[in-house]
Amino acid sequence: MQDKKNFGKYISEKRKELGLTQEELANRLYVIPTTVSKWERGITYPDITMITDLCRELNISEHEFFIACDDLAVSREKMEAKRYRNIIKVINYSFSVSYLIAIITCFICNLAIDRKLSWFFIVLISILISFCMTNLPIYIKRDKFKIVKIIGLIHILTYLLLFAINLFVGGSWFIESAIITTFEFGLLWIGIIICNFTKINVSFKISISFILPAICAVLTNPICSKVLNIPNENDDIYNRIIALIFLIISIIMLFNGTISKKHKK
């Protein structure tokens, strides 16, 4: 609506520069005065078939006419970009304030209840991981290594989280949990490397992105059972169904990428 109003203002200014009334311009274009009034009030645009006649009567070229339209489009894009940036800022500040409140609250509660800092470090590291997912992408410069930096930091923080939990609850399961985490992140790193640092077809990248979780769904429980030395009582039927769905999607995308590649040749 704002674009129409700005465009209507442009039409009105050009008409007034020539000393024409709305009725006079309407008569020259063989339209009723209310039509011109609607253009200038931003209610409607001129019909495309009238552009040549309108430009002639306003003593402007069609190029100038479309330049004005382009300027309005650019103005709209700038306004939308500004609105988007403001929304991102609000979300960013909201998350930051929420994280800060949670950290301060848990710090005070941990000291007040236990007279020392213990489980607070678990909360702190968990919040840092969340910060990496929600806020950090806004601060890191956009480049091909951006996702690598973020996932790398999350990977390190995950090990720290496991270590903090192990210290709090006791036991000697940190090494085993670290091995399982390494397997999970290993698949993630394979996907990131392929999707960010190879020039293969987008459909192939999507296909690989579905193959990796399929592998994860099938192998996670057996690996956990082996590493933790516990019986795998789950028959993994749901995991296999999920893996099958991912595999079907992967095959479809692989087929689609092959077809696209042949068409390009």
Side-chain angles (χ1 to χ4, degrees):
M1 179 61 73
Q2 187 62 37
D3 287 344
K4 287 184 178 180
K5 287 184 178 179
N6 291 337
F7 185 77
K9 184 179 179 181
Y10 174 78
I11 296 293
S12 177
E13 289 175 352
K14 290 299 179 181
R15 175 182 59 79
K16 291 176 181 177
E17 286 177 5
L18 297 173
L20 296 173
T21 65
Q22 289 183 347
E23 185 175 357
E24 289 172 335
L25 180 60
N27 290 335
R28 293 186 181 189
L29 295 173
Y30 302 102
V31 297
I32 59 177
T34 54
T35 300
V36 177
S37 176
K38 287 181 178 179
W39 294 345
E40 296 186 357
R41 285 184 291 150
I43 297 175
T44 60
Y45 281 123
D47 188 89
I48 192 170
T49 58
M50 302 189 63
I51 291 177
T52 300
D53 293 336
L54 179 61
C55 290
R56 184 183 66 248
E57 297 302 332
L58 293 178
N59 198 24
I60 60 175
S61 66
E62 292 184 15
H63 177 71
E64 289 176 312
F65 179 89
F66 288 112
I67 285 294
C69 294
D70 290 340
D71 289 341
L72 291 172
V74 170
S75 176
R76 181 183 62 185
E77 290 177 1
K78 288 182 178 179
M79 289 178 61
E80 290 177 351
K82 184 178 180 181
R83 189 180 301 113
Y84 173 77
R85 287 193 297 269
N86 290 335
I87 292 173
I88 293 299
K89 285 181 180 179
V90 171
I91 295 174
N92 184 35
Y93 291 147
S94 298
F95 274 116
S96 298
V97 171
S98 299
Y99 292 148
L100 185 60
I101 292 174
I103 289 173
I104 295 174
T105 302
C106 291
F107 179 83
I108 294 173
C109 289
N110 194 192
L111 284 179
I113 296 172
D114 298 331
R115 306 298 180 182
K116 64 177 182 179
L117 293 178
S118 53
W119 51 264
F120 166 76
F121 294 107
I122 298 175
V123 175
L124 177 62
I125 298 173
S126 299
I127 291 176
L128 288 176
I129 292 175
S130 299
F131 178 85
C132 290
M133 295 178 179
T134 57
N135 296 62
L136 192 58
I138 300 174
Y139 296 115
I140 295 182
K141 184 179 178 181
R142 192 179 188 86
D143 57 41
K144 66 178 181 179
F145 296 106
K146 180 175 182 176
I147 187 67
V148 174
K149 296 172 183 176
I150 295 173
I151 297 299
L153 185 55
I154 292 175
H155 195 168
I156 294 171
L157 288 172
T158 301
Y159 286 129
L160 290 176
L161 178 61
L162 292 173
F163 183 70
I165 295 173
N166 189 49
L167 286 179
F168 179 70
V169 302
S172 58
W173 48 267
F174 172 72
I175 299 298
E176 290 82 357
S177 60
I179 292 173
I180 297 171
T181 301
T182 301
F183 166 72
E184 303 289 345
F185 270 100
L187 293 176
L188 177 60
W189 279 114
I190 291 173
I192 290 172
I193 292 171
I194 292 174
C195 292
N196 285 270
F197 301 103
T198 62
K199 297 181 179 180
I200 60 176
N201 187 288
V202 174
S203 295
F204 292 158
K205 291 182 179 181
I206 296 175
S207 177
I208 293 170
S209 298
F210 277 97
I211 288 176
L212 295 174
I215 295 173
C216 181
V218 172
L219 296 182
T220 296
N221 279 350
I223 288 177
C224 290
S225 177
K226 184 71 174 177
V227 172
L228 299 175
N229 195 27
I230 57 177
N232 184 16
E233 298 177 354
N234 190 348
D235 59 4
D236 293 338
I237 183 63
Y238 297 110
N239 289 346
R240 291 174 186 175
I241 292 174
I242 293 173
L244 180 61
I245 294 172
F246 282 165
L247 188 59
I248 292 173
I249 297 174
S250 176
I251 293 173
I252 292 172
M253 296 307 301
L254 187 63
F255 179 75
N256 181 64
T258 304
I259 298 297
S260 299
K261 192 173 182 181
K262 287 182 180 180
H263 283 316
K264 286 182 179 180
K265 290 182 178 180

